[in-house]
Each structure stands twice: as structure tokens, then as C-alpha cells.
Amino acid sequence: MFDNRLFRPGGPVKPEEKDWPSFRGAINEAMREEMRRDPLVFQMGEDIALASPFGVTTGLAKEFGRERIRDAPCAEVAVVGAAVGAAMGGMRPIVEFQFGDFMSVAIDQLTHQAAMLRYLTGGQVSVPLVIRLPCGGGQGAGSQHSQSLYSWFAHVPGIKVLLPSTSMDAKAMMKAAIRDNNPVLFFEHKQLYRTRWPVPAEFRDADHVAELGKAAVRRAGVDITVVATLTMVHHALAAAEALAAEGVSVEVIDPRTLVPFDVDTLVASVRKTGRLLVVDEAYLNFGIQAEVIATVAERAFEALKAAPRRLGNPNVPVPFAPCLQDEVLPGRARIEAAIRQMMSR
Amino acid sequence: MFDNRLFRPGGPVKPEEKDWPSFRGAINEAMREEMRRDPLVFQMGEDIALASPFGVTTGLAKEFGRERIRDAPCAEVAVVGAAVGAAMGGMRPIVEFQFGDFMSVAIDQLTHQAAMLRYLTGGQVSVPLVIRLPCGGGQGAGSQHSQSLYSWFAHVPGIKVLLPSTSMDAKAMMKAAIRDNNPVLFFEHKQLYRTRWPVPAEFRDADHVAELGKAAVRRAGVDITVVATLTMVHHALAAAEALAAEGVSVEVIDPRTLVPFDVDTLVASVRKTGRLLVVDEAYLNFGIQAEVIATVAERAFEALKAAPRRLGNPNVPVPFAPCLQDEVLPGRARIEAAIRQMMSR
Amino acid sequence: MRAMLLIRAVEKAWGDAYLTEEITGIPPSLSTGQEAIAAGACAALGDGDFIFTTHRGQAAQVARGLDPKRILAELYCRRTGYNKGKSYHVTDMTRGVVGMGGIVPAQVPIAGGMALAQKMRGTDRVSLAFFGDGASNEGAVHEAAALAAMWTLPLILLCENNRYCITQRDTDALKGPSIAARAAGYGLPGVVVDGTDPLAVQAAVAEAVARARAGGGATFIEAQCERLTGHLIHDTQPYRSREELESAWKHCPILLFGERLERERILSADERARMNREIEAEVAGAVAHARTQPYPAIHEAYEDLWA
Amino acid sequence: MRAMLLIRAVEKAWGDAYLTEEITGIPPSLSTGQEAIAAGACAALGDGDFIFTTHRGQAAQVARGLDPKRILAELYCRRTGYNKGKSYHVTDMTRGVVGMGGIVPAQVPIAGGMALAQKMRGTDRVSLAFFGDGASNEGAVHEAAALAAMWTLPLILLCENNRYCITQRDTDALKGPSIAARAAGYGLPGVVVDGTDPLAVQAAVAEAVARARAGGGATFIEAQCERLTGHLIHDTQPYRSREELESAWKHCPILLFGERLERERILSADERARMNREIEAEVAGAVAHARTQPYPAIHEAYEDLWA
Ligand SMILES: Cc1ncc(C[n+]2csc(CCOP(=O)(O)OP(=O)(O)O)c2C)c(N)n1
Ligand SMILES: Cc1ncc(C[n+]2csc(CCOP(=O)(O)OP(=O)(O)O)c2C)c(N)n1
Ligand SMILES: [Mg+2]
Ligand SMILES: [Mg+2]
């Protein structure tokens, strides 16, 4: 069950949070710095200039003008296509979708064009573009506005898939995405937008860019490895705290990128703990959770002390009514229960 | 490496094959019988009336007329949408795509409309439709005409996913698909179309309909379980024969349907053999192979004697040049090598 | 008139429920200013016909005679709502109302399919798809219009041009003479109609219905009006000037039609006020009903997916 | 003339290679009957401009001056082909030729993006997208046309109406007066031109190029011609009557233009025959070259995916 109270998407900022950058502010800052640095970077998206749907592009049109912050029509095939073509023409486009679910209407331009054109042309073109996809449930936005569909895009060749979970990562990974010469999908969990996080000093360093393909060990532990992404990282950390009191030492791994995927950090962790739980909001069947388990089963089989487990959406659409919605999303309580059960064997 | 010689897609029919129905003929017969039985069944697709791309609909327009065998324009969103609406209006549409890859332009109509509408309306509508998706590589048709993208569709709720591998299954599963009240994707591997297979007597029985969700044990064995779909079933069987001579007893499981998925047959097999190899043409990363491994790791962990393994496309587009194409597709030789390696540990 | 007043009252109730935090989730999208289109269109349809609505679909649901009690129960996420709390795209298949709109404008090709089904089954029912000016730039509308022309489908493509796609003005996104002007390219009749006049809309839709029933195929209608409230309830429209909004409100269909009925001595201001009080009482009753309805049980999350 | 003859010769070589089973895989799609469109269009473009081709893209590749040797090497799946054997959608970025066509008509929105890049970078380069009559019903064309109008992009939408979408006659799939008639709905100039006349095509494209370079935005051109050979080489067109095909061949652009040049005493029949012999020798040389080229090495399957 999804615990909405874990983050306060609204409400007043607590005193200690005052100097912490918000998640959406971090993305905004990354884009601002990169647009200052490189005149070829520009953005397209519905309403991004006048009334940014989740406030991520707020203020950018004022600084960079309506040519570089382009309000796009409701025509996602044309817009993603425009990004692909513009990228081939030397520009570095960033595209915002209001809800990542809407990518469903423009997948061909992404997977068969953006992702394949370099290969098909024998390396003659490159397609540096970033698509920002707000994702995830918990806002009562209904089945077609609550999904986490990265399993699709991580499956096909040629697309980098990024899942930031903190303000620091949001900023550094966005900068890396913009500087990358390949198509990059940047998934932004809507529940994270208004959260605030303490950051290290390099957050303020305009040259600090994330290295893509490095998982983060969010918490070290020796009894069980929990792999979690986006908001689930924080649910997992909360569960880990609770279990620490019971004497269970949980290691929490945040892969941060699905493509490229950091197999080494994952395998090293499971070699240490011998147990694996994977938690994600994605639909459970044929989802990214399976890939993590399969990777460990292949690469660290001998280290496994017990059957690995996974949590996710049990393959129903995310329903509208909050009580039903919360039922189908994983969260802290389910993570705790799963860990307890796995430790008791 | 893909072994093209395993099937002879062209060439003369061998004497013993004369009475064996071809794979594409079996689909044709299933559709013909169902269209005779139920006047609500009809078809839409590009060129299906006049020059069926792979010959699957040949002759049907003559028997059923151009209203029920409708040549569709090159407008896949409209056509899939028309199928969804017609299904809600009480018809039972079958849609043919010339290449399943083209589904990329109409995914929204499938995953967000066909698959979700029943749920969203609280069960008020049902959407009985079949989409036929020719898939797979091996014909030198290039990156956008050679894929096996079922991992995407098995991931999201509300869609049945069928992968027939023999003439008998092609017929019985197509009949089941047409009679099913849900959206069904019917993947047809292009390399199988012209293959011929011996069939049991019930092939001729117009009332014989497959039960969806039952895997087939294509070959019994005790040393290792190989899970394979479509053409890979036959590659695996050939590998199994070869290895039998070396004293390795291979069990070959053909899941036949990904949704619903027959977990029981899979788990029972691995409990017996203790070893698992999964082979599929799908891109390897985040593909269906991972789901099979994850399921076994969860459900039959104690039975596993060695790390499971998987084969698939190593996440590059299927290249045009035959020599490159064959390199990226799995096949008999790779299966044999993998089994040998797994047995030697 | 009644339909328009009822639409506005139901929507107000929904909006209020959100603003008072009685309900949460995605903010309501009201069709204030667009009531005449739904009212006029539904008045031109027969009992067996089908409508496919948008994310701004309550107007059409109400105009088609759905029960405000069950509409509000759905918007209050209750299990006795039309969709059992599963989605706010209110559907009632017994009245031919298919609620859609999560994906703009996915309902249009599907409405085409419903028209195809009716045609193949030999009924004379028609299928009407609502969609917006913003939606008209999506490929789905193009493909559906071309297919409807090709197969002579009994379909009505009813574009509600409320001048805005969220913050984007229609004139910024559309450079042709009108949206309906695109119809000619498909070989379909295209009609522009005053979407603030319910009778004009009714007449245009009636003509399209007659054409469709007679086997004459599809019609593309653009009903022009003004979106008076924000895209969603919390949108205060800072991107529109005060003058623009003031002049837009002069096109309020309820105001205009009320004045006209008064002028033509069909309904006096008093009678209208009485009607409105009745409606407000009805809607207050519907809200009270919705509030008392039970939420879905947890296990219902797993129901209604498979047939 | 030379361009058209060269196109036909290169395509014949490709077709023959398939029919004699020298190459396998997806059967060649020839543009026999459409040569004048590519020749005319490319003659109107400048050096820095871009073209985006279709699944029937060889004509434009040849007309744009790509090397038949390297085109054929690609079609023969050799590593010295333009795309290193990775795809048959021949691309040469040094000549602004982007080979596409696996997904109909995905190249059109992308050509729009290239036009956007040129506009934003302040060049005067234009971007031209070829697509077919069948492709025109796809949503991608609609969206790209609307966006080009909205952003005044230096884009040319060049529809090659060869009367068929595989087996489907244009008149079965398209019910408007013409495909170019759709342009008006987007606020774009729409032009129908005789696609069997290279000079007419050149003139129409030149006008569009001038408009685009002058900041006047996009143009939609429909060039009408006849597809003389099958959709793919093994298609014997059983769905077309003998009479239809015979009359179609009367519209062969090479025939017509040859007659005209003769009539106008610009190129005699003899000179044409000599030109053709030269071209055939050139293409024979290109085939011989292609045959001797090495296949890609296995490890190359894993190259060129990531930048
Ligand atoms: C495919 C898709 N793209 C974008 C959206 C986001 N969206 C929701 S409503 C809307 C506005 C559509 O404008 P219009 O069609 O004019 O309808 P209106 O809101 O004015 O009624 C948009 C863009 C969506 N739901 N689906
Ligand atoms: C999205 C998509 N749908 C269908 C096809 C199959 N297909 C390949 S070529 C073709 C014909 C297109 O006709 P047209 O645009 O007229 O081009 P022509 O072949 O006549 O040159 C079709 C339907 C495809 N490649 N992509
Ligand atoms: Mg609007
Ligand atoms: Mg054509």
C-alpha cells in the first residue's frame, strides 16, 4: 500500500528544509545552466512557456525567450519527430510530455527513429535529445496519467533511461542527459517534484555532471539488498529504518539508470547480503523488476540465500479512486512486510 | 547464430509433408471456420483482400466479400481504433498488420484504449478483438521489420499475448483468440508461415479450440529445462536431439501464451530438472526471458542447481546484411553451446 | 435551457468539492461556456445513438440525460458511480455514452469504429465524437476522418473549439481558415457553427445525423465558443488578459440563450430563476447522495479488467 | 534525362540482383514511372539542403548525386555501402540525404525537425520530405504539416502520388479532390503537379524552395504519376487490369521526356541511346564493384548504435 504521507507534496516547507533545493527546482536549474552554456539546447512541450504543468520549466521562457522555450501543439508525433530532426540538424532538444503516459502516441518516433537512426545509417548521424516524462501514481490522476512505463523503453536498443530520485541526482543527471549524444528518457516521478533534499556542495557547481550508469548505495546493510527506484527509494529507506530497530540490516540500492545498468554494484551487494527484494511502481509482469532478479540469478546465483522477491503494480490499471489507487501501488508497508517475511526463512 | 536452414521457408514440399497443414494455412483455416460460424467476425488490414502480404488471408475475400475482409488504408491508429469501437459495438474484429513492428504507431489505441476501457468503465464494455502481428527476423528485412516486441505488450494489463509455434496451435489458438472477449495479440513468426507440421485428428475439428494459458511440454527431459517460443521451440528441439546423443536429457517447454502465463508447468519442469535456459528472439534486456527467470527464481529457488541463463537479441537492432542479422539472432548452435556449458558445471 | 443550467450546476458542484478539498486527485475540467454545444448536439440525437466524450465530458453526459447522482458519485470516487470509482470518464452504455479523454483525442477513431459496427450491423444509429481544437492537430483525428470518408461511416466529428488548448490560443496552433475547413481535404462536408447557440448546434448536428442515417456518411462540425473558466479548476488563466476574459464572458451561452428566451417571451427571467432553483436543489440532492455512497472495497481494484 | 536514365538503370540492377537470387531479403521496391519526381525535385535543391526519402528512395538518392557504386554496395549488403550494410535506406549526410522508409511516413515529422534546426540556426537551407499517397493518410503527415504551418518551417512536403498504396488505388483510399487539397486546411500552399514531367516538378519545387528560403514557410506539393512496376519487385500486380497497366505505361516519364527532348531537338534518339549505353556501362561497373566488396565483419553488428 502506497503511503502518501511519506512525502508532503504540498504544505509548508519545514525550517530545516529551507535551504534544500526542491526536485523540480533542481531540474529547472540544470536546464537553465545548460541552456546558458550551450545555445543549441532548446525545449519543446505543451504549455512549457506560459504555465508549466508541474512548474519544472517556470521562468525559463523569460530568460531564454519563446524560440528556445517553444510551446508545442498537441501533436506529439510531430513534436518528437521535430526533436529527432532538429537533433540530426545539430540542435540539442529537450521535450516535455505533460504526462509520460502520452508517449504512447509517439513511440514510433522514439524507438524506431530516434533510437535506430544512428545504427541504420552506419553511424552517420547522432540524435542527442532528452525527453522528460512525468510518471508514477499517487495523485489520483487515473489510469492514463499514473503509469511508469520505462520497462518498455529500457527493452529496446538505443535509448538511455534515467530515473532520478533526489534533487542532487535530478540536477546532475539532467545535465548529463543534455550533454549526452544519444536519445535519453528522463523519468520524473510526480510525487517527487515538490520534495526537498539536502545536497552536497557540488550541487552548486555548474560543471558537476553525473556519470550515467552508476547505481547509488543509498544505505549500506548486510542482511538484504533492496533495489528500488524513484519514490520507492525513499519508501525502502523508511522501511530500512524501521527494520533496523528490529535488528535487520537493509542495503538499499538505487540503480538511477536502467540503460546503462550498473550490474556490478547490484551483484556486489547481493554477494554481500545474499537476499534480494526489488521494488518498483512498474507493472509487475514482464517489468524491470524481473530484469533485476534475472541479472542477479545469472550473475550471483551462488550468493543467493533465499528466493528473491519483487513488488510492483499487480498488473491492473491504476484506478481513479484513491483507496483503490493506494492498494495497487507498492510502498513502505509492503516493503517492510516482504523483508520481514524474507528474513524469517 | 540463427540457423536459417532449420526451416525451409521456400523449396518443394517433401513427400512426407504433403498432408501436413502449413502454419499460415492453419491460421487461414481457423479464421475461415470462425467467420462461417459467427457473422460478427470480420477483418481489417492493408491489402488483405487482394494480395495478402504473407498469404494468410488468401481466399477469404472471395468467400466472405470485401465488407468482411476490408482492405484498410495506411492509417493504423484509425484502423486499430475502428477495431476497438467496432468491438464495443458488438462486432468481433481481426486486424492484420503487415509487420508487427508497425504497431509502434498505434500503441495508444491498444494499451490505453482496447486494454483499459473495460476497467475504466467499471466493466460496462468488452473489447473482443484480435490483432495479428507478423514478427521475427531471419528474412533480411531490416531493423524495422524483424522485431519481436511482445515483451512490451505482455507488460501492460488487459492484453492477452499468444505465440503459436506449430500448425495445430496456430489454428486452435487463433480460434480461441477470436472467441475470447478480450483484446488478443496473435504473434506470427514469419519464418514459420511456410513450414508444415504433422497434426492430430482434432485439427480437423471445427469445435476444437485451444485453452489459453497452458504451456506445452514439447519434449520431456530430466537434466535441463529450455523455455522457448515461436521458431526457437524448433531450434531448441533440434539442439535437444543433438544433445541426447551426448547423454543430456533436455526438456523443452513452449509457453504458447505470455498472458496468461502458465507458471505451474514451468515450475514443475524446473523442479524436476534443476536447470533453466530461456531462449527467445526478443531483445535480451528487460525482455520476456527475464520474466521467466524471475518467476523460477521466486517460485522454484530451492530446486535450482545452477544459475539460470538466457539467450536473445543482444540489444542491437536487427541489421540488414544477412551475415550480421544471423549473428544477433539466437539459434540452435547457441542453444547447444549454452546447454553444454550449463551441464559442465 | 434546462440542460445548460443543469450542466453548469453539476460542474459547479464538482468544482466546489475539489476547491473545498472534499475530493482530491486530478483537478476538475469544467466546460463553462461550452454548455450549448453538448445541449444542442444531444438534442439532435436519438435514443440508440452513441457519443464519445472528452476530458471535459460532463456537459455531454448531463445533456444526454445521465443521472447527476451517479455522475457525482463517480466524481466522488464512490462505488455506485457509473464507473464504480474506476475512472472519472463517466460512461453509461445503456445511454450510449462512452466516457473517454485521458488521451487526447483517442476517442475519435473509436467512435469511427462504433459507426462501422452500426453500419455493418445494418442499424441506422450514428456515432458522435467530441474533441477539442487542440486535439484537432493530433494524427488520430486525421486518420479517423480519412477512414470515415473512405468507408462512408455514420460518424459525426464534433470539434468544440473553445479557443484554447490549455494555454495555447487556437490561432497560435491552427493556421488554416478554420478547423472545419480541413474537412474538404477528406471529401467530407465541413461546417462551422456558433457553439454558443444551442439551436444552431442542434440544427447542424441534426443535418449531420440525417445524412449519416441516410447512408451519406460522416460530417465534420466545428462549434466555436469560449472557454470561460481555466483549463482545470485551479487554472486562473494568467495567460489571458482581463479584457479578453471580459469579452469572452459576453459569449456565455446561458446568458445569451436566457436573454433570447426572454426576448422571445418563451421563458421569463423569473421562470428561469425558478428553474435554476429547482436544478440547484436537484444537484444539492445529488451531492448529498454522492457523499453518503460507499467507497469501493479494496478487492474491487482487481475486478473489471478481464471479460 | 541523364538522372532519370541512371535511376532506372540502378534500379534495374538492384531488381536483377534479387531476381537472380544474388541478393536475398526484402524484395526491392522500384520507382519505375516516378523518376521525374526525384530528378525534378533534386534539380531544384541547393547543396546544403536536405532530403528525406521513402522505402522507394533510390530515385532520389541517385538524383541527388550519390555514387551508384556505394548505393549498390549497400544493397548488396557490403561494408563499403553507404550504411555499412546496416540498412538499405541509403543515407549520405555529406549530401544531405537521409534514407528512411521502414515506417511509413516517419520521415515527414523528422524532416520538419531538420527544417526547424535550420531555421533556429539561421541558415537558409530547406528540408524536403518525400512520401507517398498511401502515407498521406497517416497521422504523422497531418501533425507535421500542422506544425510546419504553425512554426513557418522551411519544409517541403512532397507527396509522390503513384496511384497505389501497395494494392490500394488512391481513389479508394482518398476521397478529397486531391491530396494537396488538404494543404489549405493547414494554411499551407498546396500544389498539384504533373509528376511525369521533370521540369514541371522542378518548377514547383523551386518555387517552394524560394518561399522557404525567404522565410515564407512550408509548401505541400503533390506530384502525380503512375507506379509502373509492382509494389515490390516480385509483385506482378494481378490487381490491375492489362488495360490499366498499358495506359499507365503511356505515362512513363522517360518515354515522355525522351520524346519531348527529341521533338524540341535537344537530345536525339541516337544521343539518348548513347547516353543510355554510357549509363548502363557505369551501372555495370557499379555492380561489378559492389560484388567485389567485402561483407561486414561480425563484430560490426555491435557497432554504430551508441554515439
Ligand atoms: C495525447 C495527449 N496529449 C496531451 C494531453 C494533455 N492534455 C489534456 S487536455 C489537453 C487540452 C486539449 O485541448 P482541446 O482539445 O482544445 O480541449 P479543451 O481542453 O480545450 O477542451 C491536453 C493537451 C493528453 N491528455 N493526451
Ligand atoms: C506505419 C506503416 N504502415 C504500413 C507499412 C507497410 N507499407 C510499406 S510501403 C507501403 C505503401 C505505402 O504506399 P505509398 O505511401 O503510396 O508509397 P508507395 O509504395 O506507393 O511508394 C506500406 C503500406 C509501413 N512500412 N509502415
Ligand atoms: Mg480547446
Ligand atoms: Mg503510392
Side-chain angles (χ1 to χ4, degrees), chain A residues 46-48 50-51 66 71-77 98-99 101-102 104-105 139-145 314-325 327-328 334, chain C residues 24-26 74-78 84-89 101-104 134-135 137-138 165-168 172-173 238-239 295-303 305-306:
Chain A
E46 294 161 24
D47 311 293
I48 59 172
L50 290 181
R66 300 287 293 270
D71 267 347
C74 197
E76 291 79 7
V77 174
Q98 295 196 335
F99 288 85
D101 315 59
F102 307 159
S104 59
V105 301
Q139 308 88 35
S143 307
Q144 296 156 335
H145 292 63
N315 275 75
V316 290
V318 180
F320 175 52
C323 58
L324 300 182
Q325 166 194 266
E327 162 66 18
V328 308
R334 291 236 169 99
Chain C
T24 57
I26 201 156
E74 184 67 33
L75 300 174
Y76 271 79
C77 303
R78 310 299 164 121
K84 304 187 197 164
K86 292 275 171 50
S87 92
Y88 53 102
H89 306 300
I103 306 291
V104 166
N137 274 336
E138 293 274 358
C165 175
I166 309 188
T167 67
Q168 193 167 48
D172 287 336
Y239 45 88
Y295 287 103
I298 292 306
H299 66 87
E300 293 180 46
Y302 305 101
E303 293 172 0
L305 179 62
W306 299 102

Side-chain angles (χ1 to χ4, degrees), chain D residues 123-208:
Chain D
T123 79
D124 70 348
R125 299 177 173 200
V126 308
S127 176
L128 182 150
F130 291 94
F131 60 100
D133 50 295
S136 72
N137 274 334
E138 293 273 0
V141 171
H142 170 78
E143 295 192 16
L147 192 73
M150 184 177 163
W151 286 348
T152 325
L153 299 179
L155 176 69
I156 300 170
L157 296 139
L158 178 47
C159 179
E160 300 188 71
N161 182 352
N162 64 358
R163 305 299 181 193
Y164 276 90
C165 175
I166 308 190
T167 68
Q168 192 167 50
R169 180 88 195 167
D170 62 341
T171 47
D172 287 336
L174 295 155
K175 299 299 177 183
S178 70
I179 302 173
R182 291 182 178 168
Y186 305 112
L188 294 179
V191 186
V192 176
V193 66
D194 178 356
T196 65
D197 177 354
L199 301 182
V201 174
Q202 183 177 357
V205 174
E207 196 184 319

Side-chain angles (χ1 to χ4, degrees), chain A residues 108, chain B residues 46-47 72-76 97-99 101-106 144-145, chain D residues 29-31 34 54-57 101-107 131-138 159-168 170 174 179 227 230-232:
Chain A
D108 182 75
Chain B
E46 292 161 26
D47 311 293
C74 197
E76 291 78 9
F97 273 65
Q98 295 196 334
F99 288 85
D101 315 59
F102 307 160
M103 191 73 226
S104 58
V105 300
Q144 295 156 335
H145 292 64
Chain D
S29 48
L30 310 190
S31 37
Q34 304 178 215
T54 71
H55 57 285
R56 210 178 288 293
I103 306 291
V104 165
Q107 70 279 10
F131 60 100
D133 50 295
S136 72
N137 274 334
E138 293 273 0
C159 179
E160 300 188 71
N161 182 352
N162 64 358
R163 305 299 181 193
Y164 276 90
C165 175
I166 308 190
T167 68
Q168 192 167 50
D170 62 341
L174 295 155
I179 302 173
R227 193 190 74 200
H231 171 63
L232 303 181

Side-chain angles (χ1 to χ4, degrees), chain C residues 34 55-56 132-135 160-166 168 227:
Chain C
Q34 306 178 214
H55 58 284
R56 210 177 288 292
D133 51 295
E160 301 188 72
N161 182 352
N162 65 359
R163 306 299 179 194
Y164 276 90
C165 175
I166 309 188
Q168 193 167 48
R227 194 191 73 198

Side-chain angles (χ1 to χ4, degrees), chain C residues 69-83:
Chain C
K69 282 207 197 71
R70 291 190 61 200
I71 293 178
L72 281 161
E74 184 67 33
L75 300 174
Y76 271 79
C77 303
R78 310 299 164 121
R79 65 185 307 263
T80 56
Y82 275 106
N83 301 12

